[in-house]
Structures are given as structure tokens and as C-alpha cells.
Amino acid sequence: MDWTFFCLIIISGVLVFFGILIFRNTIIPLGPLFIGTSFVSILFSLGLWIFLRNNLSTISILFSGFVIGGGLFYFSFLYINKIFPLSTSKSFTYKVQEKGSLAKGSRGNCNNPYVVIYINGIEKQLIFTCDLKNKSENSQKVVLEIYDGFFGYPFISKKELI
């Protein structure tokens, strides 16, 4: 039982990492994603408590429920929205509101540049590769290829600084 939970927690953590990469290109307000993830986490924790309350402590059940249930929902929601488009992609041009670069980190060798734009009232930070650092500093606009995902949330399939 302990080994199973450990594996599920590790898998969920890895999936959350990949979910974050998908989130970076998904135009979604945080509210619906937070509410959905919280709701599934609570339901998963309740299910674990009903079936495993004699085998696990309450803290273990809550932790496992939130990490496993929330992590799986977070990744699944974003992944399904991404891989099942409801429309073909369209090109849009947006004005760059802010520019900067991410922290390099202890093992990194570059600071990834980013630009901030507003899409449908949502602030979105677009991260680019290090080889575009000079271009990002001089760009005033960004061209995005966007399609509507399965749940109706737009997904950025391509981004280009101009």
C-alpha cells in the first residue's frame, strides 16, 4: 500500500510538471482551474478516507488526496484541452506590455526571456528560448497561432516575436 501511494505521488508530481508546461500556453483564468482542482482533490481525499481510514492517518489521506487527485485532474484537464482542438488555429497579433527574463538558476546557463501580453483580459507570460533574448528585448509585438481547446480554453500552438 505504501509503495503504491509513493509511486502515485511521484507520477502525479511529474504530471503536474508537464501540466505547468501546457498551462504556459493555455489561455485560462486561474479561477476555474483552481476550483476544479480543489473540488477533485477534496473528492479524492474523501474517497480515500472512506476506504482507507483504518490503514492510513488522516494527514496521509489528505496529502495523498490533494497531491494525487489534484495533480491528475490538473494535468488531465489541460492535456485534454490541448490535444482535442475544437477549431483550426488562427493568427493574432498582440502588443507586448512588459519584457524580462527568468532567473538563471544554479545549473542554468541563460536567463530565458519572456514577454507579457493581455489576451481576452487575461495577463499571459510567454517564455521564449535563450537564443531569442536579443529579439525579445527589441520586440514590440508577438504573433500567436491560437486554437480553441476541447474545453473551450484557447491554446497557443505557435508564438513569434516581431
Side-chain angles (χ1 to χ4, degrees), residues 72-132:
L72 291 176
F73 174 81
Y74 177 78
F75 172 77
S76 299
F77 183 85
L78 292 170
Y79 185 70
I80 290 169
N81 186 69
K82 174 188 173 186
I83 64 166
F84 296 115
L86 295 179
S87 66
T88 58
S89 62
K90 296 175 186 162
S91 183
F92 298 95
T93 302
Y94 295 94
K95 184 179 180 210
V96 172
Q97 302 295 323
E98 182 183 325
K99 304 171 192 173
S101 57
L102 300 176
K104 189 178 348 180
S106 61
R107 295 185 183 176
N109 56 0
C110 92
N111 304 30
N112 288 78
Y114 70 84
V115 297
V116 175
I117 60 172
Y118 288 96
I119 304 174
N120 303 331
I122 298 172
E123 182 181 291
K124 196 68 186 167
Q125 181 184 61
L126 303 173
I127 301 170
F128 294 90
T129 57
C130 291
D131 58 325
L132 294 174

Side-chain angles (χ1 to χ4, degrees), residues 7 9-10 14 17 37 50 84 89 98 101-102 120 126 161:
C7 288
I9 288 170
I10 296 300
V14 170
F17 172 76
T37 303
I50 289 170
F84 296 115
S89 62
E98 182 183 325
S101 57
L102 300 176
N120 303 331
L126 303 173
L161 293 163

Side-chain angles (χ1 to χ4, degrees), residues 42-52:
I42 291 168
L43 285 179
F44 199 82
S45 295
L46 183 60
L48 287 177
W49 184 77
I50 289 170
F51 293 108
L52 300 175

Side-chain angles (χ1 to χ4, degrees), residues 9-65:
I9 288 170
I10 296 300
I11 290 168
S12 295
V14 170
L15 289 177
V16 166
F17 172 76
F18 287 112
I20 290 169
L21 296 177
I22 296 170
F23 175 78
R24 286 182 173 177
N25 290 316
T26 305
I27 303 162
I28 182 171
L30 290 178
L33 192 58
F34 177 77
I35 290 169
T37 303
S38 299
F39 181 72
V40 170
S41 297
I42 291 168
L43 285 179
F44 199 82
S45 295
L46 183 60
L48 287 177
W49 184 77
I50 289 170
F51 293 108
L52 300 175
R53 65 179 165 221
N54 295 331
N55 298 339
L56 293 174
S57 69
T58 303
I59 297 294
S60 295
I61 289 172
L62 288 173
F63 178 77
S64 300

